[in-house]
Amino acid sequence: MSKELTKRADDYSKWYNDLVLKADLADHSAVRGCMVIKPSGYAIWENMQKTLDKMFKDTGHVNAYFPLFIPKSLFEAEEKNAEGFAKECAIVTHYRLKTDPDNPGKLMVDPDAKLEEELIVRPTSEAIIWNTYKGWIQSYRDLPLLINQWANVVRWEMRTRLFLRTAEFLWQEGHTAHATKEEAIIETKQMLDVYADFVENWMAVPVVKGVKTANERFAGADDTYCIEALMQDGKALQAGTSHFLGQNFAKAFDVKYVTKDNKQEYVWATSWGVSTRLMGALIMSHSDDHGLVIPPKLAPNQVVIVPIYKGDDGLARVSVVANDIKKKLQAKGITVKYDDRDSQRPGWKFAEYELKGVPVRIAIGERDLANGTVELARRDTLTKETVSIEGIDSLIEQLLTDIQTNLFERAKQRTQQLTTKVDSFEDFKKVLDEKTGFVLAHWDGTPETEEKIKDETKATIRCIPLNNEQETGICIYSGKPSTQRVLFARAY
RNA sequence: CGGGGUGUAGCGUAGCCCGGUAUCGCGCCACGUUUGGGACGUGGAGGCCGUCAGUUCGAAUCUGGCCACCCCGACCA
């Protein structure tokens, strides 16, 4: 198989696609817009899940599972939510097939098996969950209700891209219910912090935390908080969202609780989610023209050992040392693969593990056996050095930490370098076209202006950063007064 | 969903204008030599040419429908 990757500079989008396919992360499937996540890709997703799941549990949440199907009558209960997702829903209308009398061997939908009520394949689960919560919540003693589910959802997108936008995708969605508005807002922000912590400290992708404008808000939310990351090509990617849902769903599904002083009150809600889109963010943030670069904390294999030898005896001699190193590293909790396959040569393996993004590679040959050394190569910098076997476990433990830090710092510098303040619409357009990246500019706060800027430049307000610096200025588009800069970018 | 492009072995391709069942490279299998950055030799296997229909004695090649993918829009996590 040709492993030639398209260069980022030649065609970034083609590079991304090539990389996903060639690093064996995912593949297109027989279903339009739906991908097959292959073992190499799924292993990274599993590591993400494992880490996030622990973070959710550490903040008091528990997992549950709700149905894939939502009866249409429930789906439409919260009007804004229903309206927002209506255009991209898959709908089940029948429950049976039959053999087609006109086409032997073919099946047809049995017209007699039409459902009384259509079922919507969930694009998000607020409706079915809030309908369920109604039966679970009676008293303030039942609150807060802190539930997460790992699930698949379907959004019938016009145009799809592996991981970034697929018709079916995997995600987690947290759905919580609270007695007070304040508590729900604290929860919303807490989960945003959890996401930011995960994306920055595990994925090594720096993010801007902020709040969405009304235009960009989740359908059915009072406020949508988000984390926005900048990819290598200067386009923004929404990496996670946390919604304060107010009492919208409580009212739509009539979920009330009795307070201590025996009054009926609607509960306050949040929902929050991250999806397999994070895989896209991970890939686009760190990878290079040689292939994938996986941050050590999420790498299914943190270290690979490649033996270099002549003949069976040679392999046996190298293997003694390699297995010893493997054991020492495993004792430190490091995941190690010793690739002693005789079917591929060392050079082939080097290239292969670079393509697959393994953070650290150790090569051991005769020369090393004589000197008590190994060759150590790091994926992030593509540098190699010869080091003593003595104390290699501690050295690699430190190296993995260094790589993790380096990847984050590198991405952070890039993001800072690609963040520009502008004060005129001319500069705004110029920066978007020539420099790309985040653009901080004054905005008059109206949806109309936001919409016009989007129409003319394809840039959207990614968020109003949290703890945003307040400064007086004038809107770059309308010239009206403004109190702060907001974060614009062209986005995925 | 609109505009443009592509579809030939696992991957990348030649052939298509001027109809006669297919070229080359990589990969794959066997054996041997090799092994410190994608090895080499010899032999071999693998294709109803995206799919369905039409024209024709005969279709990868001509015509039409459909499907998938890529690029640009609209929509979106």
Side-chain angles (χ1 to χ4, degrees):
Chain A
M1 196 197 316
S2 167
K3 294 286 190 180
E4 280 297 297
L5 263 185
T6 302
K7 303 275 177 268
R8 285 168 295 178
D10 293 345
D11 187 341
Y12 189 81
S13 147
K14 194 164 191 298
W15 163 81
Y16 173 80
N17 250 313
D18 269 15
L19 180 51
V20 171
L21 298 175
K22 289 186 174 157
D24 237 5
L25 300 175
D27 212 344
H28 296 287
S29 72
V31 188
R32 160 179 245 158
C34 296
M35 65 178 169
V36 175
I37 305 176
K38 298 181 80 173
S40 299
Y42 202 78
I44 301 172
W45 175 242
E46 282 181 312
N47 282 345
M48 289 183 174
Q49 281 184 302
K50 205 189 310 169
T51 307
L52 283 166
D53 199 66
K54 178 162 193 316
M55 293 171 113
F56 299 155
K57 285 170 181 164
D58 285 349
T59 43
H61 303 86
V62 289
N63 286 334
Y65 187 80
F66 296 86
L68 169 67
F69 303 117
I70 305 175
K72 185 164 138 295
S73 57
L74 289 185
F75 187 74
E76 64 201 8
E78 208 294 323
E79 277 181 44
K80 281 187 179 157
N81 184 249
E83 198 190 316
F85 285 101
K87 296 181 306 266
E88 50 191 9
C89 287
I91 303 134
V92 180
T93 56
H94 292 74
Y95 59 87
R96 193 166 62 210
L97 298 169
K98 65 173 193 178
T99 51
D100 185 344
D102 299 329
N103 287 299
K106 303 284 185 188
L107 292 170
M108 61 180 285
V109 173
D110 186 344
D112 295 333
K114 196 169 187 316
L115 290 169
E116 291 271 310
E117 182 180 1
E118 293 89 346
L119 296 173
I120 312 301
V121 180
R122 63 182 167 212
T124 182
S125 301
E126 276 79 4
I128 188 75
I129 287 179
W130 278 88
N131 178 256
T132 308
Y133 281 3
K134 180 179 165 59
W136 291 0
I137 299 168
Q138 277 88 41
S139 152
Y140 71 92
R141 294 174 202 272
D142 299 321
L143 298 172
L145 186 58
L146 305 173
I147 290 182
N148 175 63
Q149 88 163 344
W150 290 95
N152 58 340
V153 286
V154 169
R155 295 182 189 176
W156 214 260
E157 301 289 352
M158 298 295 182
R159 207 173 138 201
T160 58
R161 298 195 63 193
L162 294 169
F163 290 116
L164 295 174
R165 187 177 301 111
T166 47
E168 180 195 13
F169 57 93
L170 304 184
W171 77 347
Q172 59 67 218
E173 46 183 327
H175 295 273
T176 69
H178 306 264
T180 66
K181 179 179 182 179
E182 293 65 35
E183 194 185 301
I185 291 173
I186 288 169
E187 166 77 4
T188 309
K189 289 181 176 170
Q190 172 187 251
M191 297 323 287
L192 187 76
D193 288 340
V194 165
Y195 287 155
D197 179 14
F198 173 73
V199 174
E200 293 202 324
N201 295 317
W202 270 261
M203 291 175 57
V205 174
V207 296
V208 175
K209 290 192 270 190
V211 64
K212 289 287 189 191
T213 61
N215 277 355
E216 302 279 328
R217 202 175 280 157
F218 175 75
D222 280 2
D223 259 320
T224 287
Y225 292 81
C226 63
I227 47 173
E228 294 284 329
L230 201 61
M231 302 297 103
Q232 289 182 57
D233 62 345
K235 282 173 84 173
L237 184 78
Q238 181 174 303
T241 48
S242 184
H243 314 292
F244 169 60
L245 301 175
Q247 293 178 312
N248 301 333
F249 285 89
K251 285 176 180 167
F253 291 92
D254 194 34
V255 185
K256 291 180 191 163
Y257 74 100
V258 179
T259 63
K260 280 183 189 176
D261 41 3
N262 203 31
K263 277 193 261 177
Q264 293 275 334
E265 298 277 3
Y266 285 111
V267 303
W268 297 84
T270 82
S271 71
W272 26 275
V274 293
S275 70
T276 34
R277 179 178 243 204
L278 287 180
M279 292 287 295
L282 187 81
I283 297 160
M284 284 198 290
S285 290
H286 307 304
S287 302
D288 60 24
D289 291 347
H290 296 266
L292 193 62
V293 177
I294 313 173
K297 282 187 175 180
L298 291 174
N301 280 312
Q302 296 172 306
V303 176
V304 63
I305 305 175
V306 176
I308 299 161
Y309 58 91
K310 291 183 173 64
D312 291 346
D313 294 354
L315 178 58
R317 279 195 299 277
V318 171
S319 291
V320 172
V321 177
N323 281 317
D324 184 52
I325 292 174
K326 182 179 172 182
K327 256 184 229 153
K328 278 188 191 151
L329 292 174
Q330 283 175 331
K332 292 220 176 243
I334 296 166
T335 50
V336 190
K337 176 176 173 179
Y338 175 40
D339 187 354
D340 61 352
R341 286 178 299 170
D342 193 39
S343 53
Q344 304 295 352
R345 300 168 79 254
W348 189 92
K349 292 178 185 173
F350 293 167
E352 185 69 8
Y353 290 113
E354 258 158 36
L355 180 63
K356 297 238 171 137
V358 177
V360 173
R361 185 184 71 233
I362 298 173
I364 310 173
E366 293 287 343
R367 215 158 65 197
D368 296 303
L369 293 184
N371 300 335
T373 58
V374 298
E375 182 187 81
L376 202 57
R378 53 189 282 184
R379 179 64 186 86
D380 59 336
T381 56
L382 291 168
T383 51
K384 296 188 286 197
E385 58 178 331
T386 300
V387 301
S388 166
I389 291 175
E390 189 69 34
I392 192 161
D393 47 343
S394 304
L395 184 73
I396 287 177
E397 190 178 37
Q398 184 58 47
L399 182 59
L400 289 169
T401 307
D402 292 350
I403 292 173
Q404 183 79 31
T405 306
N406 180 49
L407 287 175
F408 179 71
E409 288 303 324
R410 211 156 77 174
K412 194 172 177 183
Q413 270 180 27
R414 186 182 68 231
T415 303
Q416 280 167 355
Q417 195 265 319
L418 283 174
T419 302
T420 316
K421 281 188 187 180
V422 305
D423 292 308
S424 75
F425 195 50
E426 287 311 303
D427 287 349
F428 182 80
K429 287 188 283 194
K430 198 174 168 198
V431 168
L432 282 173
D433 286 339
E434 290 167 19
K435 184 181 172 187
T436 75
F438 283 140
V439 184
L440 284 161
H442 280 282
W443 162 61
D444 64 18
T446 68
E448 294 75 28
T449 298
E450 183 181 7
E451 198 60 36
K452 280 176 183 158
I453 292 174
K454 184 181 173 185
D455 287 346
E456 289 184 34
T457 65
K458 289 178 223 157
T460 49
I461 299 179
R462 302 316 304 156
C463 68
I464 301 162
L466 295 188
N467 308 317
N468 205 17
E469 190 186 328
Q470 299 295 301
E471 59 172 47
T472 52
I474 55 164
C475 173
I476 51 158
Y477 191 84
S478 67
K480 290 177 188 162
S482 152
T483 56
Q484 60 181 345
R485 290 173 188 274
V486 297
L487 194 68
F488 285 91
R490 290 191 179 133
Y492 276 98

